[in-house]
Amino acid sequence: MLIGVPKEIKNHEYRVGLTPDSVAEVVAHGHQVLVETGAGAAIGFSDDAYRAAGAETAGAAADVFAKAEMIVKVKEPQAVERAMLREGQILFTYLHLAPDAEQTRDLVASGATCIAYETVTDGNGRLPLLAPMSQVAGRMSIQAGAYCLERAHGGRGMLLGGVPGVAPAKVVVLGGGVVGENAIYMALGAAADVTVFDRNVAVLERLTQRFGPALKTVYSTKTKVDEAVVEADLVIGGVLVAGAAAPKLVTRETLAQMRPGSVLVDVAIDQGGCFATSRPTTHDEPTYVVDDVVHYCVANMPGGVPRTSTFALNNVTLPYVLKLADKGFREALIEDPNFLKGLNVINGMVTFEAVASALDYDYVEPAAALAA
């Protein structure tokens, strides 16, 4: 199979779908790789390094899309990239379709086979291809929040961990999954006052066992969340419903009661965000203010640390790339029901139920779509 790796074009996105080491593995399996010139240059992967690993290079994304049987990316294809997709071509990347009607429409029209990293599961129902970026984003959320709390950046002028004699900042984490756990790890390490909310008691028990009494765990109800958010200095939104739009946990009315200079970091923004006032931002302009509350809603947070993120992502995506290339997408998906859950769009059909429901498409069961 000929696998194409275009350069990412989203704002300040420097990650790359395959590292030179990953290319070498793919080539060792008897496949070809075509990498766009400069695709990994920003994180230290030269064109020469890709050629040494066995890839060919192409001067433009159009050449990669025109020739490749499978496109391996990091972020969802932008409009100009979606226009280059063709019927029967495989797209393997993050998609986050539920809150993105325009992208979904274009992918349906393309006729391409679109497999989303974020909806592939494992035998335990976890999301193995989303987890490493959730780890990165969770840890970054505290760095970003601490920065935004500085007065020069619109915040209350608080040091996250305080100092002896001065209370630390109150950090509220909504969701105790991978994002939340990593945010907690960083916030407690900075000596902040941390409370986590989740509706899964087993998750709260696990977090208590890991972090001990330094972490406050609370079962999530609207009343309890509202009370905590109003008193918080920093709120981390880390809720996730796989493949679906994120639930709105904080209303505009609650936000209006928060203290001026408080900070919201919405890690769920890729799936539409979990605050009523959230809208996607970029690394160029990461924040905006509503009712004197600073909002940090960067839609590709891990892109801010692209070298770390690229290695972490390739560690988990490479085995799936090899399955698709070695077996073809039909056999690779049919033999693995967990991998099959990654199929979101094929031949103009929407095959992920949460996406179909959110955007009013007819839902086609993935196995039936493949059989068709």
Side-chain angles (χ1 to χ4, degrees):
M1 182 179 286
L2 176 55
I3 299 170
V5 182
K7 183 177 180 179
E8 298 292 327
I9 59 173
K10 191 163 184 166
N11 177 271
H12 282 292
E13 183 54 76
Y14 306 110
R15 290 174 287 179
V16 64
L18 293 177
T19 66
D21 283 352
S22 294
V23 167
E25 291 290 326
V26 171
V27 171
H29 278 240
H31 306 291
Q32 299 170 279
V33 182
L34 183 62
V35 180
E36 184 180 353
T37 299
I43 53 175
F45 303 146
S46 67
D47 293 340
D48 285 342
Y50 277 109
R51 286 189 283 264
E56 296 182 20
T57 54
D63 296 327
V64 176
F65 278 85
K67 296 177 181 178
E69 299 166 79
M70 174 164 63
I71 299 292
V72 176
K73 282 176 44 61
V74 178
K75 286 305 290 176
E76 71 279 358
Q78 304 301 290
V80 66
E81 295 174 309
R82 299 194 296 267
M84 293 187 282
L85 290 169
R86 66 178 185 273
E87 185 174 350
Q89 194 170 42
I90 303 166
L91 173 66
F92 192 35
T93 188
Y94 288 117
L95 293 176
H96 301 292
L97 294 180
D100 194 341
E102 183 178 348
Q103 183 194 178
T104 305
R105 183 194 66 224
D106 290 349
L107 295 185
V108 167
S110 74
T113 298
C114 306
I115 305 169
Y117 293 160
E118 73 274 8
T119 61
V120 174
T121 63
D122 63 16
N124 297 309
R126 295 172 299 199
L127 305 171
L129 306 190
L130 185 61
M133 297 303 94
S134 295
Q135 292 168 344
V136 171
R139 295 182 181 214
M140 287 185 72
S141 70
I142 299 302
Q143 292 182 188
Y147 179 83
C148 292
L149 275 172
E150 295 178 20
R151 188 68 190 95
H153 305 126
R156 299 192 68 212
M158 297 186 70
L159 183 64
L160 201 63
V163 292
V166 180
K170 292 183 178 180
V171 177
V172 169
V173 179
L174 303 179
V178 178
V179 167
E181 185 168 1
N182 281 271
I184 292 164
Y185 173 78
M186 295 294 284
L188 288 177
D193 178 346
V194 186
T195 303
V196 62
F197 286 82
D198 202 284
R199 289 196 168 187
N200 187 329
V201 173
V203 167
L204 298 177
E205 290 176 349
R206 175 177 55 78
L207 293 173
T208 297
Q209 290 171 0
R210 176 176 178 184
F211 295 110
L215 173 66
K216 302 178 185 71
T217 61
V218 181
Y219 184 83
S220 182
T221 65
K222 184 181 186 308
T223 299
K224 291 297 184 185
V225 167
D226 286 349
E227 290 173 352
V229 166
V230 166
E231 295 297 319
D233 301 300
L234 170 61
V235 182
I236 307 298
V239 294
L240 173 70
V241 179
K248 302 296 184 185
L249 299 185
V250 178
T251 65
R252 178 68 181 268
E253 292 72 24
T254 299
L255 179 124
Q257 299 175 55
M258 295 178 70
R259 290 178 288 220
S262 300
V263 177
L264 303 179
V265 178
D266 199 340
V267 185
I269 194 64
D270 276 326
Q271 294 292 148
C274 60
F275 306 121
T277 46
S278 291
R279 58 176 171 80
T281 61
T282 68
H283 286 288
D284 271 341
E285 297 183 30
T287 64
Y288 60 93
V289 178
V290 176
D291 291 340
D292 295 322
V293 176
V294 180
H295 292 57
Y296 181 102
C297 302
V298 175
N300 60 329
M301 284 180 67
V305 287
R307 188 171 174 88
T308 297
S309 298
T310 293
F311 281 115
L313 183 60
N314 271 240
N315 288 345
V316 294
T317 57
L318 177 60
Y320 292 88
V321 172
L322 292 174
K323 282 184 184 180
L324 290 169
D326 289 347
K327 300 179 178 182
F329 77 88
R330 292 184 186 278
E331 183 179 345
L333 295 176
I334 288 172
E335 74 175 18
D336 184 348
N338 295 308
F339 195 7
L340 181 59
K341 291 178 181 178
L343 185 64
N344 278 217
V345 175
I346 182 172
N347 294 335
M349 297 176 283
V350 175
T351 55
F352 197 83
E353 190 167 10
V355 173
S357 176
L359 299 177
D360 198 26
Y361 284 88
D362 291 333
Y363 167 66
V364 181
E365 200 260 339
L370 283 176

